[in-house]
């Protein structure tokens, strides 16, 4: 007698459980479509393998436009914790000597580093010589030298013998010779001194160089912080547009295998999916009970 009444609810629970279990499994299975006599079997592949591109696009839009917005990222970058961390690292890096810093940044070995330094020194020496030639240093020497001679000999016996023409002729010739000498041989004298200066500078840190310009540690830190904030505010929009979070998420999901996607979904929603399966059993049982009375 009791078996007659209990069989309906029990069978209903089993049917509800199995139905929901199969429905959950059909989210991921079969992995690929099944064809019989050239016709695709309905509900193959499973819902998630079949709709993965649409799912990827939807998740990408949700993450990029709702969960992680430009304002959220900008706020994190400008938060006191992040900003202080970046500024601390930059200030610490500025305390490193220039040579060590450049070697770390470029990863250059001794030969490459020395070769680059030699090119810089040679280039700067040539630029200095070209600048002296462009400003007509010989003419400056002639003009200023004439003024100095006039001032120094004013009121003396030499003033009677030195005419303006004589001074101009003498200093003009000297100026031309100096101009030619600098152009032809200036680099050989300027470069050794420039090498010495560069060797001294590369042993100093950027903080020390700024200190020579009158900046203390607090001012250097404030400068780094200001540069960080300005750079972030002016470029964050362009950077985020190029990154395109929505597209990155979409591409990442599309690149996943169905197995990886199933693992992620189950890791997040396994408990909820099991609840759905158990709920099917409960509903089937209740329907079986109601069937007894109606």
């Amino acid at each position: 007698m009791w078996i007659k009444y209990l069989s309906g609810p029990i069978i209903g629970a089993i049917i509800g459980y199995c139905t929901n279990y199969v429905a959950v499994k059909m989210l991921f299975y079969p992995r690929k479509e099944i064809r019989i006599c050239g016709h695709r079997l309905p509900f193959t592949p499973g819902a998630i393998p079949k709709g993965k591109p649409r799912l990827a696009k939807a998740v990408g839009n949700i993450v990029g436009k709702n969960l992680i917005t430009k304002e959220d990222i900008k706020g994190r970058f400008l938060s006191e914790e992040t900003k202080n961390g970046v500024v601390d690292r930059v200030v610490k890096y500025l305390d490193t000597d220039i040579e060590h810093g450049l070697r770390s940044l470029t990863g250059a070995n001794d030969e490459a580093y020395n070769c680059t330094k030699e090119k810089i020194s040679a280039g700067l020496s040539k630029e200095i010589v070209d600048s002296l030639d462009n400003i007509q240093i010989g003419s400056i020497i002639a003009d200023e030298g004439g003024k100095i001679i006039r001032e120094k000999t004013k009121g003396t016996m030499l003033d009677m013998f030195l005419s303006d023409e004589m001074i101009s002729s003498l200093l003009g010739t000297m100026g031309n010779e100096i101009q030619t000498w600098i152009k032809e041989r200036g680099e050989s004298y300027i470069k050794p001194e420039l090498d010495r200066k560069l060797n001294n500078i590369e042993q100093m840190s950027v903080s020390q160089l700024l200190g020579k310009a009158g900046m203390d540690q607090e001012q250097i830190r404030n400068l780094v912080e200001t540069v960080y904030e300005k750079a972030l505010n002016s470029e964050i929009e362009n950077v985020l547009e190029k990154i395109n979070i929505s597209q990155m998420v979409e591409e990442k999901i599309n690149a996943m295998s169905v197995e990886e996607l199933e693992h992620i979904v189950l890791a997040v929603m396994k408990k909820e999916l099991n609840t759905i399966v158990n709920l099917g059993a409960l509903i089937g049982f209740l329907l079986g009970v109601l069937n007894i009375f109606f």
Side-chain angles (χ1 to χ4, degrees):
M1 185 70 176
W2 287 106
I3 295 176
K4 179 181 178 181
Y5 290 110
L6 288 176
S7 60
I10 292 174
I11 292 173
I14 294 173
I15 291 174
Y17 181 90
C18 293
T19 301
N20 282 19
Y21 179 82
V22 171
V24 169
K25 287 299 180 180
M26 285 181 67
L27 290 172
F28 307 98
Y29 297 93
R31 306 289 195 196
K32 298 178 181 180
E33 66 177 35
I34 299 174
R35 288 186 171 272
I36 299 177
C37 298
H39 298 283
R40 182 176 66 85
L41 195 67
F43 307 110
T44 63
I48 289 180
K50 183 178 180 180
K52 189 171 74 165
R54 181 175 54 82
L55 175 66
K57 189 173 186 64
V59 173
N61 287 332
I62 292 172
V63 173
K65 295 179 180 179
N66 299 102
L67 298 182
I68 304 177
T69 64
K70 294 179 181 179
E71 290 71 22
D72 294 332
I73 296 176
K74 186 176 179 180
R76 287 298 181 94
F77 275 117
L78 288 175
S79 67
E80 289 299 318
E81 182 180 359
T82 304
K83 182 168 62 177
N84 289 334
V86 172
V87 172
D88 288 341
R89 292 293 298 272
V90 173
V91 170
K92 182 179 179 181
Y93 189 78
L94 292 179
D95 287 332
T96 306
D97 64 85
I98 294 175
E99 179 182 2
H100 183 268
L102 289 175
R103 287 179 182 270
S104 299
L105 281 174
T106 60
N109 55 29
D110 290 341
E111 182 180 356
Y113 178 81
N114 291 329
C115 181
T116 301
K117 188 171 70 172
E118 177 66 21
K119 289 180 180 179
I120 292 174
S121 176
L124 288 175
S125 299
K126 187 177 184 306
E127 289 297 325
I128 292 173
V129 171
D130 290 343
S131 297
L132 292 174
D133 186 49
N134 291 335
I135 65 175
Q136 296 294 310
I137 189 67
S139 299
I140 295 174
I141 291 174
D143 294 340
E144 296 302 318
K147 294 177 183 179
I148 293 172
I149 290 174
R150 276 301 181 194
E151 290 176 1
K152 296 296 184 180
T153 60
K154 187 176 182 179
T156 65
M157 290 185 63
L158 286 175
D159 190 27
M160 300 171 58
F161 297 100
L162 293 175
S163 64
D164 291 338
E165 291 77 9
M166 185 183 297
I167 294 174
S168 296
S169 176
L170 178 62
L171 292 180
T173 302
M174 184 182 299
N176 291 335
E177 291 295 327
I178 292 175
Q179 184 90 17
T180 301
W181 184 87
I182 290 176
K183 192 171 183 179
E184 294 178 353
R185 303 177 59 189
E187 287 186 44
S188 61
Y189 285 85
I190 292 174
K191 188 175 180 303
E193 179 62 16
L194 191 59
D195 287 338
R196 187 181 67 82
K197 290 288 186 182
L198 289 176
N199 288 334
N200 291 337
I201 289 175
E202 69 179 358
Q203 300 307 315
M204 300 171 65
S205 66
V206 175
S207 295
Q208 289 175 316
L209 289 176
L210 293 174
K212 288 183 175 293
M215 296 183 67
D216 56 29
Q217 286 296 317
E218 183 177 357
Q219 290 174 316
I220 293 173
R221 183 178 180 82
N222 290 336
L223 175 63
V224 173
E225 186 173 329
T226 300
V227 171
Y228 174 77
E229 290 178 351
K230 286 184 176 179
L232 191 63
N233 285 319
S234 63
E235 294 298 328
I236 189 66
E237 293 289 336
N238 295 331
V239 171
L240 291 179
E241 284 181 6
K242 292 178 181 178
I243 291 177
N244 197 337
I245 296 174
S246 298
Q247 185 178 353
M248 285 178 61
V249 174
E250 181 180 349
E251 292 174 352
K252 196 73 175 178
I253 293 177
N254 280 324
M256 289 181 179
S257 65
V258 179
E259 289 81 0
E260 290 176 307
L261 200 55
E262 179 184 4
H263 178 75
I264 292 173
V265 173
L266 291 179
V268 176
M269 298 189 65
K270 186 175 183 178
K271 184 177 180 181
E272 288 75 13
L273 293 175
N274 287 334
T275 300
I276 292 174
V277 173
N278 294 329
L279 188 60
L282 177 61
I283 293 173
F285 180 83
L286 293 176
L287 289 175
V289 173
L290 291 174
N291 189 52
I292 296 174
F293 298 100
F294 298 101

